[in-house]
Amino acid sequence: IEAEVQRRKQLIHQSVERKAIISERYKRKHPEVYTLQESFLVPGFLEIVRYCTSPAAHLHGLLRYIESFSDKRIYRLPVFTEEFCQAFVDELENFEQSEMPKGRPNTMNNYGVLLNELGMDETLITPLREKYLRPITALLYPDLGGASLDSHKAFVVKYSLHEDLDLSSHYDNAEVTLNVSLGKNFTEGNLYFGDFSRDPSPVPKYIEIEHLGAQGLLHRGGQIHGALPIASGERWNLIVWMRSSAIRNRLCPMCNKKPELVEAEGFGDGFTETLEDDVAETVNLCSLW
């Protein structure tokens, strides 16, 4: 366990080194996709955001605009245009084919891209979370800090016949997760969802949900879920783990204990520590992870 703790602490420094090399040497194929533009978002998504930012917005009104599944608080909504998805995946494939160093999203996904290393965090994902997603999550997940999601980890995962086919059951290091299907052409590979991690039942009930192109699924990070094998083609998914330091400072979502923090660079898994001068910074990491 101690060896794994040390390995994870080193990941932060290794990521910073890779990001510096990529920033200096990588030639972007579609530089426009690195900065969020409203034209990337479909009108239906913008309509949802407008409703959520209106003075009279409430949960039941929002549910008229989005699709919900069972009682597991899983919701589907349109997000990106197909044109953006195609350009985005083309950029990711260009990066994959380059000689740049590449960090992988996690130990379960062997193929994919960490978007902060590619330089997309500040200009693409942060404004998406702050301006567009947070008004939605504030209504859907108030108990999980939906109105105070102040950091994230964003990455893209890839499934294909000769690489990763599926993803086994797990839950995310996040309060709320957005999962967007970017394409390309594939068959099968539905997502499945079980219990909430803190409320396991003796006989868990699973539901399957088809992942539609350019559509997003919002769910609680602690919802146990996975991806069934694709039967053909290739699929890319954008995953955004959104975190609320106000929530996780009290209880680590992975170990269900009050976190013991050590210094870290960047978002530090979304934990913060109030310093003597009462200035909070997202610079610490749960010592167990």
Side-chain angles (χ1 to χ4, degrees):
I1 293 174
E2 181 60 30
E4 177 64 11
V5 170
Q6 295 303 319
R7 184 190 74 83
R8 294 190 180 211
K9 288 180 179 179
Q10 291 302 312
L11 291 177
I12 300 170
H13 306 295
Q14 295 165 0
S15 180
V16 170
E17 293 174 357
R18 287 192 297 267
K19 183 177 180 180
I21 293 172
I22 293 166
S23 176
E24 180 181 349
R25 303 179 187 174
Y26 176 61
K27 185 176 180 180
R28 298 174 176 179
K29 185 175 182 179
H30 297 282
E32 70 278 2
V33 304
Y34 285 73
T35 302
L36 183 64
Q37 302 174 39
E38 200 163 276
S39 60
F40 297 167
L41 306 169
V42 293
F45 179 73
L46 296 174
E47 184 179 6
I48 293 170
V49 176
R50 279 194 295 270
Y51 173 78
C52 292
T53 53
S54 65
H58 54 86
L59 174 60
H60 294 296
L62 171 57
L63 294 179
R64 295 197 298 263
Y65 292 87
I66 62 178
E67 188 176 359
S68 60
F69 297 90
S70 73
D71 59 348
K72 298 182 184 296
R73 301 174 71 187
I74 304 164
Y75 307 97
R76 179 157 58 202
L77 69 168
V79 182
F80 297 118
T81 66
E82 291 186 7
E83 292 77 14
F84 169 76
C85 291
Q86 291 172 0
F88 190 39
V89 170
D90 196 37
E91 176 65 34
L92 296 170
E93 290 180 323
N94 185 67
F95 176 71
E96 277 292 300
Q97 293 162 8
S98 74
E99 297 180 353
M100 294 296 103
K102 301 171 183 72
R104 298 309 181 187
N106 49 63
T107 56
M108 299 179 72
N109 295 107
N110 299 304
Y111 302 90
V113 179
L114 291 164
L115 297 186
N116 70 309
E117 294 186 6
L118 202 51
M120 292 183 170
D121 246 4
E122 295 83 356
T123 54
L124 180 68
I125 303 300
T126 294
L128 178 66
R129 169 175 54 82
E130 292 182 344
K131 184 177 180 180
Y132 296 99
L133 293 174
R134 202 156 56 190
I136 301 173
T137 58
L139 292 178
L140 294 177
Y141 306 105
D143 53 322
L144 297 172
S148 60
L149 298 173
D150 51 4
S151 69
H152 62 263
K153 177 179 179 179
F155 52 94
V156 173
V157 294
K158 176 188 176 186
Y159 301 93
S160 68
L161 294 182
H162 302 295
E163 297 175 347
D164 288 338
L165 277 176
D166 55 11
L167 186 62
S168 59
S169 296
H170 67 284
Y171 58 91
D172 301 336
N173 186 357
E175 276 62 74
V176 181
T177 295
L178 172 70
N179 183 332
V180 183
S181 178
L182 301 171
K184 304 164 67 174
N185 294 320
F186 62 91
T187 57
E188 303 296 336
N190 287 348
L191 303 184
Y192 62 89
F193 293 85
D195 296 328
F196 192 66
S197 60
R198 297 177 196 165
D199 306 309
S201 61
V203 183
K205 296 180 181 179
Y206 288 90
I207 62 169
E208 277 190 40
I209 299 177
E210 183 180 4
H211 216 351
L212 305 177
Q215 302 257 324
L217 289 174
L218 280 169
H219 63 84
R220 295 174 293 177
Q223 196 81 47
I224 295 173
H225 61 285
L228 296 171
I230 62 171
S232 65
E234 183 177 296
R235 183 172 81 186
W236 293 76
N237 286 62
L238 167 65
I239 312 294
V240 185
W241 287 354
M242 294 179 281
R243 295 156 169 172
S244 169
S245 58
I247 297 293
R248 59 182 45 218
N249 284 355
R250 298 196 301 266
L251 187 71
C252 172
M254 305 306 285
C255 66
N256 287 329
K257 299 177 182 178
K258 184 175 176 57
E260 298 176 13
L261 304 174
V262 297
E263 288 191 4
E265 299 181 46
F267 282 143
D269 271 19
F271 296 89
T272 62
E273 182 175 46
T274 302
L275 306 179
E276 291 181 358
D277 57 2
D278 291 327
V279 177
E281 299 177 2
T282 52
V283 294
N284 295 309
L285 176 70
C286 176
S287 61
L288 295 179
W289 289 86

